[in-house]
Amino acid sequence: MNIKILSDSTCDLSPAQLAEHNIDLARLTIVKGGEAFSDGLTIHPADIFAHVAAGGDLCSTTAYNISEYEE
């Protein structure tokens, strides 16, 4: 039996840990200020922390898109 581990991008595992354990990521969409970003690609934790520290609203995530998963 083959087993594949898939985690969402908020797991905060390092690239080395992902590679070592052959874990794939499902990148969540982060909504900040009404704009959508791809977690780890177009937005990073430091961006979110800076936004909130500057008085911005808390960010949210959206459910993972099934068509993205199928790709």
Side-chain angles (χ1 to χ4, degrees), residues 52-65:
V52 174
D57 291 337
L58 293 177
C59 298
S60 62
T61 60
T62 62
Y64 196 68
N65 184 310

Side-chain angles (χ1 to χ4, degrees), residues 1-42:
M1 173 190 306
N2 291 326
I3 297 174
K4 179 65 183 166
I5 300 173
L6 175 69
S7 178
D8 71 55
S9 55
T10 62
C11 69
D12 291 330
L13 294 173
S14 71
Q17 291 170 312
L18 294 170
E20 177 183 350
H21 300 288
N22 193 28
I23 299 171
D24 284 342
L25 287 182
R27 296 201 178 272
L28 294 183
T29 298
I30 307 292
V31 180
K32 177 180 74 98
E35 190 174 351
F37 299 89
S38 181
D39 186 31
L41 294 177
T42 58

